[in-house]
Amino acid sequence: MKYTILLSLIILVACNNNGNIKTEAKVDTLKVIPDTLAITKKPLPDSIQSKTYANTRFRDVRVERIGEDSFLIRGQGQIFEANFNWIVEDGHEELKKGYQMTKAGAPEWGNFEFGIRVQKKRANSTLMLVIFETSAKDGSRQYELPIVLY
């Protein structure tokens, strides 16, 4: 009789433990794990911009954010008379514009480096830098290279 009660008690405990193991390993709980891992990922800071831009007349163009509203632009250009223009716009208006020179004129590739400081007028806008060559014939923009600043 003692052994029967003891054996019944062991079987009852074993059955309850088996039931708990099965309910803890539900498929639903396994789906939650990737979601929580994705939330803990941290975005890269704004100062890390390793993207390089290029087109027919410009190559190896990089933009480095050196302050809250300051940028350093470096690259190479194959530009007629080594002179090119740039403009910063926000989709609604031109905020700043200017011109720069490369160290050599076409057909050579000349290095350039210049800094700009520009602030957004609208918080939800995107600032775009466009560098381009100006046509000697009619003054139109040629070989535009658009670069998102922020």
Side-chain angles (χ1 to χ4, degrees), residues 138-150:
D138 61 7
S140 64
R141 292 184 188 182
Q142 297 179 340
Y143 307 105
E144 291 184 340
L145 181 63
I147 301 167
V148 175
L149 295 177
Y150 72 106

Side-chain angles (χ1 to χ4, degrees), residues 2-3 10 19-20 27 32 36 43 47 49 57 60 78-79 88 97-98 108 117 119 125 133 136 139-140 143 149:
K2 276 186 188 178
Y3 296 113
I10 291 173
N20 288 340
V27 176
V32 174
T36 58
S47 61
Q49 294 184 6
R57 294 285 191 237
D60 299 327
Q78 188 181 40
I79 310 295
V88 178
K97 59 184 175 178
E108 301 296 320
R117 177 178 227 141
Q119 293 180 332
S125 65
E133 182 178 22
S140 64
Y143 307 105
L149 295 177

Side-chain angles (χ1 to χ4, degrees), residues 38-58:
I39 293 171
T40 59
K41 289 182 181 178
K42 294 181 181 178
L44 293 174
D46 284 341
S47 61
I48 300 175
Q49 294 184 6
S50 60
K51 193 167 184 179
T52 303
Y53 301 87
N55 66 12
T56 306
R57 294 285 191 237
F58 299 96

